[in-house]
Amino acid sequence: MEADSMKASDLFVKCLEAEGVDTIFGVPGEENADLMISLADSGIEFIICRHEQAAAFMADMYGRLTGRPGVCLSTLGPGATNLVTGVASATLDYSPLVAIVGQAGTQRLHKESHQNMDSISMFRPVSKWAATVRDPGNIPEMVRKAFRTALADKPGAAVIELPEDIAKQDTPSMPMPGPRVKQTYGVDVNAVDRAAELIRAAEAPLVLIGNGVVRERMKATRQIEAFLEKTGAYAANTFMGKGGVSARNPRCLFCVGLGVRDAVIEAFDRADLVICAGYDMIEWRPDRWNAGRPKKIIHIDRTRAEADASYLVDAEMAGGIAENFEALNRALEDCAPRDLPEFAQLRNRILEILGEHDADPSWPMKPQRILHDLRRAMRDEDILVSDVGAHKMWVARQFRAYRPGTCFISNGFCSMGFALPAAIVAKKLFPHKNVVALAGDGGFLMNVQDLITAVKYKIPLTVLIWNDNGYGLIGWKQAAAYCRTSHVELLNPDFAQLARAFGCNGVEITAPDQLTPALQSAFTDASRPTVITMPVDYGENLKLTARFGQLQCFLPHGQPGD
């Protein structure tokens, strides 16, 4: 090796260090061996996972919580295909992520050879950018581009493939200096004036809080809550916008997107102006709320509005959400808050609905009672990560978030198996906070193997499993539409014993009064993870569907939902 050159894998690691990378989640393999040896001499922590999908979910949550791209790593072939779901999830949930994928030597990529496949063509549809390193001298530019692309609005995944023969080569290239320019967002004065004009003219303005607000955390929340107080407007949030406005705020109308005729839809029916703040259309399409009474729309986000026939904007404020609301607040200094008694009454009615089963003594416990007890046991700053399934719908509806970044629901790509790996990272990043992964029995088993990752790294998160011995959400949808279910029944292990086999605390709840003490005990145990399992009464599912007016039929006796 020449004095002024270095091995390409060493250069790659130094480029990661220049980007501020402190943690990588992944599974080592033969074709990324040189990179792994280079990491051994680095200050970057490598978290060994038991499945590449879990590694990608961990990197996804790292990006959500830090605002910096999370990094995951796999080898070629099956390692790469295992990574795909997590990469797609980051892209569709708008989380910054960089994936590093091993590859066979370039001398055999043109022909049939062991584990060789065109990984980049596979990753392109599910990422913002994906490319192969063909020359080790290009590594500094490619690493920088991957991180810039992952962070650029809207955030998502970028993928770099490193063939094993390229990783071994020497190169005179050096890492690029760390990023010197922080992305800033301007405010279009004309757009502010146009939006202020629409707001002044509106009789019943309503703010729709999306995931973009959560990405800006309290910076955006403070400005939006000041806007609500100043104008008298009310706000509702999407699943991923929970906490963007505190559930305690008297102008919060809680969550939208569960059903076409959920109570909060009345506010959208009444509104003549909808101010969409950080609204990710992938969560809840606009034709679900922009119907009936003609509405004006103001779009406030870091990117311009998506083209959609039901989302024709009257003012577009592309830039920082906090900066644009701050500008609006200044422009509306003399604005008197509206009196909107219908919205106030609606909030009170929703609160009554949400509290109907807070003290329900029945067993198995209803979803509403479980989430009431869970919320009461958790502090405002604690973090709940929901998996995908029937419980996700109940978390969105019932669980009250008081700060942004404290309730995470994957609702873009909606992949089962997300909660456990994501919660592991949340607890690792914020050890002083209580972190709960809430999963159904089906979703929990999809990444159960990474319980041992939490044990290995001494990460004492809490897992709460709702067990209905089935794919509950699919059964719910089938029953509502067809009056019967098909192939959704599951045979489950003893989850408490399984948890103990992994080295966790395993707790089975057998009565309603056991849940709160079990949670409190889990939160005070700093030595290992705790898995709490309990049956759930999903008979409430179809009652909720009926309340939405979407039930197509009545189930015969004995079907799920009785």
Side-chain angles (χ1 to χ4, degrees):
M1 182 184 295
E2 298 179 9
D4 294 332
S5 66
M6 72 176 78
K7 188 177 174 181
S9 61
D10 291 339
L11 173 61
F12 200 106
V13 170
K14 289 186 181 298
C15 290
L16 294 176
E17 291 173 339
E19 298 296 331
V21 174
D22 55 23
T23 310
I24 296 176
F25 309 93
V27 179
E30 256 184 271
E31 283 71 19
N32 59 24
D34 286 276
L35 192 62
M36 296 305 303
I37 297 301
S38 295
L39 281 169
D41 297 324
S42 164
I44 297 174
E45 182 181 16
F46 189 84
I47 302 295
I48 304 169
C49 302
R50 296 305 180 94
H51 196 285
E52 292 86 353
Q53 183 189 100
F57 285 147
M58 290 181 191
D60 176 331
M61 180 54 86
Y62 183 102
R64 294 181 198 228
L65 287 170
T66 67
R68 306 190 309 272
V71 182
C72 55
L73 177 145
S74 80
T75 189
L76 79 172
T81 57
N82 284 347
L83 206 65
V84 168
T85 297
V87 168
S89 182
T91 298
L92 268 68
D93 278 14
Y94 303 118
S95 304
L97 176 148
V98 171
I100 305 165
V101 181
Q103 183 53 285
T106 56
Q107 73 277 4
R108 65 183 178 97
L109 293 181
H110 66 286
K111 61 184 178 181
E112 179 182 335
S113 60
H114 181 66
Q115 290 190 314
N116 174 29
M117 60 173 293
D118 186 354
S119 298
I120 291 301
S121 292
M122 177 180 65
F123 278 111
R124 280 197 181 110
V126 298
S127 65
K128 296 176 69 179
W129 179 75
T132 301
V133 179
R134 299 288 182 179
D135 185 317
N138 294 335
I139 288 174
E141 290 180 351
M142 294 182 72
V143 171
R144 176 58 50 85
K145 180 171 182 175
F147 278 80
R148 286 177 60 89
T149 302
L151 276 174
D153 289 310
K154 293 182 179 182
V159 181
I160 304 177
E161 182 181 72
L162 182 62
E164 61 178 336
D165 60 328
I166 300 295
K168 295 178 184 296
Q169 294 178 18
D170 293 343
T171 175
S173 294
M174 293 290 141
M176 297 172 67
R180 298 178 180 179
V181 179
K182 185 176 181 180
Q183 190 171 7
T184 58
Y185 300 90
V187 172
D188 184 336
V189 175
N190 292 329
V192 172
D193 291 343
R194 171 61 178 152
E197 178 184 329
L198 290 168
I199 292 165
R200 290 180 189 279
E203 295 178 359
L206 184 63
V207 181
L208 176 56
I209 304 291
N211 190 22
V213 173
V214 174
R215 290 193 288 267
E216 292 194 15
R217 296 292 193 270
M218 286 302 299
K219 181 181 177 184
T221 293
R222 282 190 289 266
Q223 294 297 334
I224 293 173
E225 291 192 334
F227 174 84
L228 299 180
E229 185 176 355
K230 181 181 295 292
T231 61
Y234 280 70
N237 58 263
T238 65
F239 285 30
M240 293 174 69
K242 287 180 75 71
V245 167
S246 171
R248 292 194 185 97
N249 190 300
R251 300 189 183 280
C252 176
L253 295 176
F254 306 100
C255 193
V256 293
L258 285 93
V260 176
R261 295 313 312 167
D262 199 2
V264 67
I265 292 297
E266 295 179 24
F268 286 85
D269 290 344
R270 171 75 177 86
D272 57 348
L273 172 68
V274 178
I275 304 157
C276 296
Y279 168 53
D280 290 346
M281 198 177 292
I282 194 169
E283 282 198 85
W284 190 39
R285 61 188 211 228
D287 64 342
R288 294 294 179 92
W289 54 264
N290 190 16
R293 184 181 184 186
K295 297 171 180 56
K296 300 287 186 182
I297 296 175
I298 298 174
H299 174 87
I300 304 178
D301 200 5
R302 291 189 176 184
T303 57
R304 294 196 173 276
E306 176 69 82
D308 188 286
S310 297
Y311 195 69
L312 304 177
V313 302
D314 297 274
E316 187 173 49
M317 304 170 71
I321 298 168
E323 290 85 350
N324 273 295
F325 270 98
E326 184 178 15
L328 271 178
N329 287 334
R330 286 196 300 268
L332 296 167
E333 281 183 355
D334 60 343
C335 183
R338 291 161 184 77
D339 183 22
L340 295 171
E342 293 177 32
F343 286 3
Q345 292 166 11
L346 178 60
R347 173 179 164 83
N348 290 334
R349 181 150 54 89
I350 293 172
L351 282 169
E352 289 178 6
I353 292 170
L354 297 184
E356 284 176 347
H357 298 288
D358 284 355
D360 193 306
S362 59
W363 181 260
M365 292 171 72
K366 290 179 169 57
Q368 302 97 312
R369 166 72 190 275
I370 300 173
L371 289 169
H372 170 265
D373 288 2
L374 178 62
R375 176 70 277 180
R376 188 174 57 183
M378 297 177 72
R379 301 166 301 189
D380 289 9
E381 67 271 21
D382 291 341
I383 296 173
L384 174 66
V385 184
S386 173
D387 212 272
V388 174
H391 61 280
K392 178 189 80 169
M393 310 300 285
W394 289 106
V395 170
R397 181 180 176 81
Q398 298 287 144
F399 190 81
R400 302 178 195 182
Y402 304 125
R403 299 182 186 179
T406 59
C407 181
F408 290 94
I409 302 174
S410 177
N411 204 43
F413 199 56
C414 289
S415 177
M416 295 175 71
F418 171 78
L420 173 60
I424 289 171
V425 171
K427 185 63 176 178
K428 184 178 189 301
L429 288 171
F430 299 103
H432 60 286
K433 296 184 180 183
N434 299 316
V435 176
V436 177
L438 175 56
D441 47 339
F444 173 70
L445 283 178
M446 288 191 175
N447 271 317
V448 64
Q449 72 285 335
D450 272 278
L451 264 182
I452 203 68
T453 304
V455 172
K456 172 182 171 64
Y457 293 98
K458 296 180 173 57
I459 302 172
L461 79 154
T462 301
V463 181
L464 179 60
I465 303 170
W466 290 11
N467 188 1
D468 69 329
N469 295 296
Y471 288 125
L473 182 58
I474 306 305
W476 181 356
K477 301 282 187 179
Q478 290 177 351
Y482 306 108
C483 301
R484 61 178 181 166
T485 62
S486 173
H487 301 90
V488 293
E489 299 81 14
L490 296 175
L491 176 64
N492 287 320
D494 183 321
F495 288 116
Q497 286 195 38
L498 180 64
R500 295 182 200 116
F502 275 101
C504 304
N505 294 317
V507 180
E508 183 175 1
I509 303 299
T510 59
D513 60 358
Q514 295 175 1
L515 177 58
T516 296
L519 289 168
Q520 292 170 341
S521 177
F523 294 161
T524 57
D525 188 344
S527 63
R528 54 183 176 168
T530 296
V531 176
I532 302 171
T533 178
M534 62 187 302
V536 59
D537 176 9
Y538 273 151
E540 291 297 299
N541 292 353
L542 288 177
K543 294 177 185 177
L544 182 61
T545 303
R547 176 173 253 157
F548 294 162
Q550 294 174 287
L551 193 60
Q552 302 298 313
C553 53
F554 292 98
L555 291 176
H557 180 72
Q559 288 288 332
D562 286 356

